[in-house]
Amino acid sequence: MQDKISHNLQNILQWIEAACIRSSRNPDEVRLLLATKTVPTDRIKLALEAGCTLIAENKVQELKEKYEALKEIPHTNHFIGHLQTNKVKDILKYNVSCIQSLDRIDLAEKLHQRLASENRTIDVLIQVNTSDEESKFGVHPNKAIELVKQVSELSSLKIKGLMTIGLFSAETEKVRTCFRLLKDLQQQIISHNIPRVEMKELSMGMSGDLETAIEEGATIVRVGTAIFGQRTYPDSYYWNEDNA
C-alpha cells in the first residue's frame, strides 16, 4: 500500500508540474491538498510519510475520529466541507488552520464569537458557488464581494482567498467557466483594496479537473480519488449538509 500511495502521489505531483509548465506558471505556486474524506488513518499516514502534509476533511465527525491517530505526525489541516453553525465549537478543537468553506455571514459571526472568546484567529477562504447548482454550497458570485467586506470586519477571521467546487462535468470548457469566474472575482476583490483581506489563494480543482484549474490560476488543488482510490459514495454525498 505504501508503494501504491507513493506512486500515485508522485504521478499527481508530476501532473501538477506539467500543467504549470504548460501554463507558464511556477510549480511552486500550486499546493497539493489531500482530500481525506472516508480514507482510513493508516492510509493517510502513508501519504504524510511520503511527504504530502496538507490534508483536509469534509466532515467534522471524521476530523474528530481521526485526530488522535494523526496528531503526532506533522501536517497541516484544512476543512473543506459545508460547516453548520452548531459544529463551530467542535471544529475549533481539532487543529484546523484554515476553513475553506466560509459562505455566509451567520457562520462567520459564530466563528468570530468563539475565536474571540479564546483569543484566537483562523485563516478562511470564501466559498463561491460558481456553477450555479442548487446542490452546491457557496455564496452566489454576485454577493461574494459584499460577504468579503462583511467578514473582513471580524478581526479573528483572516481572509486568504477564495474556494470553489467546479461543475461535475466531462465538458472541460463548462468546468473552465467556473474556475475563470473565481479568478475574475479574485481580481475584482483585489481592486476594491479591502482592509485586512488577502487574495493569494484560489482553491479549485480536484482529481478530474485539476489541469484546467491550474490553467485558470489555482494555487491549491484538492485531490483524493487519484491518490487513495475510488470512494464508496458519490461526490454529492460529501457536500450534503445533512451528512455534515
Side-chain angles (χ1 to χ4, degrees), residues 9-28:
L9 271 172
Q10 288 308 309
N11 281 346
I12 289 295
L13 291 171
Q14 289 170 10
W15 197 7
I16 290 170
E17 182 176 13
C20 287
I21 291 168
R22 283 196 301 274
S23 305
S24 299
R25 295 186 62 193
N26 183 342
D28 292 340

Side-chain angles (χ1 to χ4, degrees), residues 111-202:
L111 280 165
H112 172 64
Q113 181 181 23
R114 188 74 196 180
L115 288 161
S117 72
E118 299 176 8
N119 196 29
R120 294 171 57 191
T121 64
I122 197 168
D123 292 346
V124 297
L125 305 185
I126 302 299
Q127 181 178 356
V128 184
N129 185 346
T130 56
S131 62
D132 199 28
E133 294 173 279
E134 289 186 9
S135 61
K136 299 270 182 66
F137 294 102
V139 64
H140 189 281
N142 291 345
K143 298 179 180 178
I145 295 175
E146 180 58 32
L147 180 60
V148 169
K149 288 178 178 177
Q150 291 175 317
V151 175
S152 73
E153 296 177 2
L154 304 174
S155 59
S156 66
L157 303 179
K158 308 297 185 184
I159 299 176
K160 299 297 182 181
L162 306 174
M163 184 271 260
T164 198
I165 302 162
L167 187 70
F168 295 140
S169 172
E171 297 183 54
T172 300
E173 292 314 305
K174 287 186 177 181
V175 179
R176 186 184 304 280
T177 299
C178 299
F179 298 152
R180 192 162 286 172
L181 174 55
L182 200 72
K183 180 67 176 179
D184 289 346
L185 266 174
Q186 178 199 42
Q187 296 306 305
Q188 289 178 50
I189 292 166
I190 289 171
S191 72
H192 278 74
N193 198 27
I194 305 167
R196 299 183 56 254
V197 172
E198 291 183 47
M199 278 287 126
K200 294 193 299 186
E201 303 290 1
L202 285 181

Side-chain angles (χ1 to χ4, degrees), residues 179-235:
F179 298 152
R180 192 162 286 172
L181 174 55
L182 200 72
K183 180 67 176 179
D184 289 346
L185 266 174
Q186 178 199 42
Q187 296 306 305
Q188 289 178 50
I189 292 166
I190 289 171
S191 72
H192 278 74
N193 198 27
I194 305 167
R196 299 183 56 254
V197 172
E198 291 183 47
M199 278 287 126
K200 294 193 299 186
E201 303 290 1
L202 285 181
S203 176
M204 58 188 191
M206 297 187 285
S207 294
D209 53 25
L210 68 84
E211 290 174 295
T212 307
I214 289 170
E215 289 167 4
E216 297 303 326
T219 62
I220 299 173
V221 291
R222 309 180 301 270
V223 179
T225 302
I227 292 166
F228 298 112
Q230 290 293 332
R231 298 185 174 90
T232 307
Y233 301 106
D235 278 323

